[in-house]
Amino acid sequence: MNDSIRYNRQIILPEIGETGQQKLLKAKVLVIGAGGLGAAILPYLAAAGVGEIAIVDDDVIEVSNLHRQVIYKNSAVGKHKVDEAKLMIAELNPSTKVEAIAEKLSGKNAISLFEQYDIIVDATDNIAIKYLINDACIVTNKPMVYGSIFRFQGQVSVFNYQNGPTYRCLYPDENSQSANCEDAGVIGISVGIIGMLQANEVIKMILEIGEVLSGKILVYNILNNEQQKYDFEKNTNIVMNLEAFQKKYNAVENQVEEVVVEEILNEIDNDEVLFLDVRNAEELPKINFKNGIQISLLHLENEIKKLNPNQTIYVYCQSGIRSRIAVELLQKHQFKNAKSITGGALALSQLVKEKV
């Protein structure tokens, strides 16, 4: 199909024109995450004619994703998100080149990946990964398009744009314990709106039009349709270079040992181990281990003396994100045998039922 026909409605905009369309064609965008935010970002970037898009996500599609990750079909459950997203884009706009990377972003691959793209889009719901993305963007001098959801409220900003303020300037506390979508709950419309606002920032940067959300954070509430923009300044005391990046991420990655529920089948009645639930008290499902204890992640450091640093401790939350943070915290306090349970409480509750 002739591109002039495909993109006619945007080419006739004087701010875009043929020149702008060529800028889109030459652009290379890396999207981290193919979940709810990614499901809104990806089709709009592809439809606009962005020439190259890479998608990084090691996750597979689950039924519980479908209410908000609307680019996936029920028949795709169990398949890799990046592969299905690539198929969707090929159907939508076959002229967009797509690279599907079914890997987890890490300190080992972030720098080499980011160097290949013009703009990096954060479509994750993991706080630790957001700091990793931010730091790798600083090292590679790439802008980071940020999006975040908490229940009915979303945030959008652009970090490290033309040496502007970064994620750490806005959120200096790396030990934040914010819940992700799975733990806090989310409605699909929220991620759709925020994801499209992120795509809008990407397109504005490519076209060099409008006002980029650099040094500003947009907060949008879908329940009352109110939105506010807040300014924030660059913190010049924050230093992140390649040496600091490698020291930080290559030193800590892979230190958290993770176990799947099948591996601990024989430990459920073992009095010598402890199952530590770091969820909040009201979270379901409840799991009653005779060798279990509940201390929310928020209070773990203050109540750490309740735990034996020499004991094997299996830590779980709802999904496996907070449990990893908890294990890292325990390790800082010289706990040598703390392990995070992959799949969290849902996987554990199923295991307990099967054992009974």
Side-chain angles (χ1 to χ4, degrees):
M1 182 181 292
N2 190 308
D3 282 352
S4 63
I5 298 174
R6 177 184 290 274
Y7 306 120
N8 174 58
R9 295 300 187 276
Q10 63 191 39
I11 289 175
I12 61 176
L13 291 167
E15 294 85 354
I16 299 179
E18 293 285 356
T19 301
Q21 197 61 51
Q22 285 302 307
K23 289 180 180 179
L24 289 165
L25 179 63
K26 294 176 181 178
K28 299 179 179 181
V29 179
L30 175 63
V31 180
I32 313 297
L37 292 171
I41 295 162
L42 291 167
Y44 278 94
L45 293 184
V50 171
E52 289 189 33
I53 300 174
I55 317 162
V56 178
D57 197 316
D58 67 341
D59 204 4
V60 297
I61 300 164
E62 299 178 9
V63 171
S64 62
N65 300 149
L66 300 180
H67 88 286
R68 65 192 185 280
Q69 300 175 19
V70 294
I71 61 175
Y72 305 123
K73 299 176 181 178
N74 196 69
S75 59
V77 169
K79 297 179 180 179
H80 276 286
K81 291 181 180 178
V82 292
D83 293 333
E84 292 300 301
K86 181 175 181 177
L87 289 174
M88 177 276 299
I89 292 173
E91 288 288 326
L92 178 63
N93 189 352
S95 64
T96 294
K97 179 182 176 182
V98 183
E99 183 175 5
I101 305 169
E103 299 176 13
K104 183 177 181 180
L105 189 74
S106 71
K108 293 181 176 63
N109 62 16
I111 300 298
S112 59
L113 271 174
F114 286 20
E115 286 177 337
Q116 301 173 51
Y117 297 90
D118 306 318
I119 298 170
I120 313 302
V121 185
D122 162 38
T124 72
D125 63 355
N126 183 311
I127 298 296
I129 296 295
K130 290 181 185 296
Y131 281 101
L132 169 62
I133 295 169
N134 173 79
D135 295 347
C137 280
I138 295 172
V139 172
T140 56
N141 194 27
K142 308 289 182 178
M144 168 186 175
V145 182
Y146 162 79
S148 179
I149 301 290
F150 186 76
R151 294 177 178 160
F152 296 99
Q153 183 174 281
Q155 300 180 350
V156 183
S157 187
V158 177
F159 301 119
N160 202 47
Y161 177 66
Q162 298 178 346
N163 199 35
T166 73
Y167 183 64
R168 289 186 182 275
C169 301
L170 184 63
Y171 296 117
D173 181 12
E174 194 166 349
N175 295 315
S176 168
Q177 295 160 5
S178 300
N180 69 335
C181 290
E182 188 167 344
D183 297 333
V186 67
I187 188 168
I189 294 167
S190 296
V191 292
I193 291 171
I194 298 303
M196 284 191 282
L197 288 172
Q198 287 182 271
N200 184 46
E201 292 304 305
V202 173
I203 290 172
K204 285 192 297 182
M205 282 189 283
I206 294 170
L207 296 173
E208 300 175 284
I209 62 173
E211 182 182 340
V212 175
L213 280 172
S214 176
K216 302 177 186 296
I217 184 161
L218 173 68
V219 180
Y220 188 93
N221 187 314
I222 72 164
L223 291 183
N224 55 24
N225 285 322
E226 287 186 357
Q227 64 179 27
Q228 295 86 31
K229 276 197 293 188
Y230 302 98
D231 295 337
F232 61 97
E233 300 293 329
K234 184 177 178 67
N235 184 347
T236 55
N237 295 321
I238 296 173
V239 177
M240 180 57 64
N241 52 35
L242 182 57
E243 183 181 356
F245 181 91
Q246 291 175 334
K247 183 177 180 181
K248 175 177 177 60
Y249 291 101
N250 294 347
V252 299
E253 281 183 354
N254 300 322
Q255 285 187 352
V256 174
E257 184 177 349
E258 294 184 286
V259 294
V260 295
V261 292
E262 290 79 10
E263 293 178 25
I264 55 173
L265 182 63
N266 297 324
E267 303 279 41
I268 290 176
D269 299 316
N270 183 355
D271 292 328
E272 294 182 4
V273 307
L274 180 72
F275 284 87
L276 171 60
D277 181 357
V278 295
R279 297 177 297 167
N280 299 324
E282 69 275 7
E283 291 185 65
L284 300 173
K286 297 293 184 186
I287 304 174
N288 298 312
F289 291 122
K290 68 175 185 178
N291 51 343
I293 186 173
Q294 192 275 325
I295 305 174
S296 72
L297 178 59
L298 190 62
H299 301 120
L300 182 58
E301 191 153 27
N302 292 333
E303 300 184 28
I304 206 162
K305 290 183 179 178
K306 292 181 179 180
L307 306 175
N308 179 356
N310 298 314
Q311 190 174 24
T312 296
I313 301 176
Y314 294 110
V315 186
Y316 66 96
C317 61
Q318 199 73 352
S319 62
I321 294 174
R322 283 175 289 172
S323 59
R324 283 183 59 89
I325 297 171
V327 170
E328 289 175 356
L329 176 62
L330 292 172
Q331 288 175 341
K332 289 177 183 177
H333 288 269
Q334 306 307 311
F335 284 72
K336 304 296 185 186
N337 300 307
K339 304 174 183 181
S340 173
I341 299 176
T342 301
L346 295 175
L348 272 174
S349 63
Q350 186 61 38
L351 176 70
V352 172
K353 287 177 186 176
E354 290 173 358
K355 195 173 191 300
V356 172

